[in-house]
Amino acid sequence: MSKYNDKTTVQELVSDYAQIIKGKTVLTTGVTPGSLGHMFVEAVAAASPALLILAGAKTRNLVVDLCSLASVRKAAEEVNSWADVPKIDVVVNNAAVMATEFALTVDGFETQFAASHIGHFLLNNLIMSKVLASESPRIVNISSDGHRFSPIRWADPAFSNGETYHKWVAYGQAKTANMLFAMSLAEKLSKRGLQAYSLHPGVIFTTGLGTHLDTSENGDIKLLNDTDKLQGNQEGWADLKVVPVEVGTATQAYAAFDPNLIDHNGSYLLECRVGDPYVDTVKPWGTSVIEADKLWKLSEKLVDQKFEY
């Protein structure tokens, strides 16, 4: 059982994990100021990692647009060319968009699915040789309890060019993909030492992820609540449990560095512990080995490249 809880902060965890973090190379996507990723790298920096690689459209260190396969491939080529970075110990796939209006990427993917999953799937696999060069590699996917809104829409992942689009269902599909991707990584690469986890950071209003949402009486929050009620989710009749960003980021540090998680490789985490499907919002479509395998195959098809380990 974890000794941490739903009030533990990222600073507390980094203090506890300082000797584990020291000397590690950590790559994090989605590090714009005010984001979970920014808070994470800011906290981790205090523990003297060897290198923090900040991946995003506006950073000097690694420029990448996760909604463009060409950009992802270029970024991966750059990382692989760094002779002075022989290994990457931890990858934190933090970048995402949430409940945006319908749009397709340049490659024809629904934007939320591309930004949260497809871009990360390709990037992670293309730099996997450097990840596996670590003595204790980890990959962390920032998911959400919003995965409750949808499994993977196998027959229509791009929402029929917008005709069937529902912004919260699309968010749910993207967050389910984060869970399934972590499961596949653990299943395929645990024998080579890789640990992979997905997590729900909590409901946080102080990052930039939801600044675009319409919070008017009949806006996006009402649509979220109505969707929960329509699907019979308990969240439809409960108040939002909001946490500060330093608490939400704590589960990222827990997933990235906790030394006692190996028996739960591939799991979905929340509140600095392993999620319990009997009491937490952990939908079966996010923990199915069959769904995970199907998503891996679909993702390979979408990026037009196979990754076999």
Side-chain angles (χ1 to χ4, degrees), residues 23-299:
K24 286 192 182 296
T25 296
V26 181
L27 187 156
T28 307
T29 69
V31 291
T32 52
S35 68
L36 285 174
H38 184 267
M39 171 64 76
F40 174 77
V41 297
E42 187 177 68
V44 169
S48 302
L51 179 66
L52 292 174
I53 303 170
L54 312 182
K58 296 182 180 179
T59 62
R60 179 185 65 84
N61 307 71
L62 182 64
V63 176
V64 59
D65 177 359
L66 290 163
C67 288
S68 163
L69 296 184
S71 177
V72 171
R73 292 185 186 280
K74 182 178 179 181
E77 183 178 0
E78 180 180 349
V79 171
N80 288 330
S81 74
W82 291 342
D84 60 333
V85 184
K87 65 176 182 176
I88 298 173
D89 299 289
V90 179
V91 176
V92 180
N93 295 315
N94 180 80
V97 293
M98 178 178 72
T100 50
E101 297 302 318
F102 178 77
L104 294 176
T105 68
V106 65
D107 302 295
F109 308 136
E110 188 276 316
T111 300
Q112 296 192 68
F113 192 59
S116 289
H117 172 64
I118 293 297
H120 287 129
F121 175 85
L122 182 60
L123 178 63
N124 287 197
N125 278 296
L126 290 176
I127 65 172
M128 192 61 74
S129 61
K130 290 208 170 187
V131 176
L132 295 178
S134 170
E135 297 84 0
S136 54
R138 292 202 193 190
I139 293 178
V140 177
N141 295 337
I142 312 307
S143 181
S144 167
D145 68 354
H147 76 274
R148 66 187 183 269
F149 290 123
S150 182
I152 304 301
R153 293 166 51 87
W154 300 111
D156 188 26
F159 292 85
S160 298
N161 200 31
E163 292 179 14
T164 60
Y165 189 70
H166 184 298
K167 61 178 60 178
W168 289 113
V169 171
Y171 181 66
Q173 173 176 245
K175 296 295 100 178
T176 292
N178 295 147
M179 297 170 70
L180 297 175
F181 182 35
M183 288 182 62
S184 285
L185 288 169
E187 187 275 327
K188 295 175 183 296
L189 290 165
S190 61
K191 59 184 179 293
R192 298 182 64 177
L194 180 73
Q195 294 182 57
Y197 302 99
S198 62
L199 64 93
H200 170 53
V203 178
I204 304 166
F205 285 151
T206 54
T207 69
L209 187 64
T211 54
H212 63 285
L213 294 177
D214 178 0
T215 57
S216 65
E217 183 177 354
N218 293 307
D220 293 328
I221 303 304
K222 182 179 186 300
L223 178 62
L224 180 150
N225 188 256
D226 288 348
T227 305
D228 269 323
K229 288 182 175 179
L230 180 65
Q231 296 183 350
N233 297 327
Q234 63 180 354
E235 287 84 357
W237 292 270
D239 293 332
L240 290 174
K241 182 182 178 182
V242 179
V243 300
V245 65
E246 61 269 19
V247 170
T249 314
T251 304
Q252 290 182 232
Y254 180 69
F257 304 114
D258 192 87
N260 302 310
L261 273 173
I262 192 166
D263 289 342
H264 304 284
N265 199 0
S267 292
Y268 172 80
L269 313 175
L270 70 161
E271 297 177 349
C272 295
R273 60 179 175 82
V274 177
D276 181 350
Y278 286 95
V279 298
D280 301 315
T281 298
V282 185
K283 296 297 186 181
W285 54 71
T287 59
S288 164
V289 294
I290 295 173
E291 296 283 285
D293 187 53
K294 287 173 63 178
L295 179 63
W296 188 277
K297 289 179 170 63
L298 173 64
S299 302

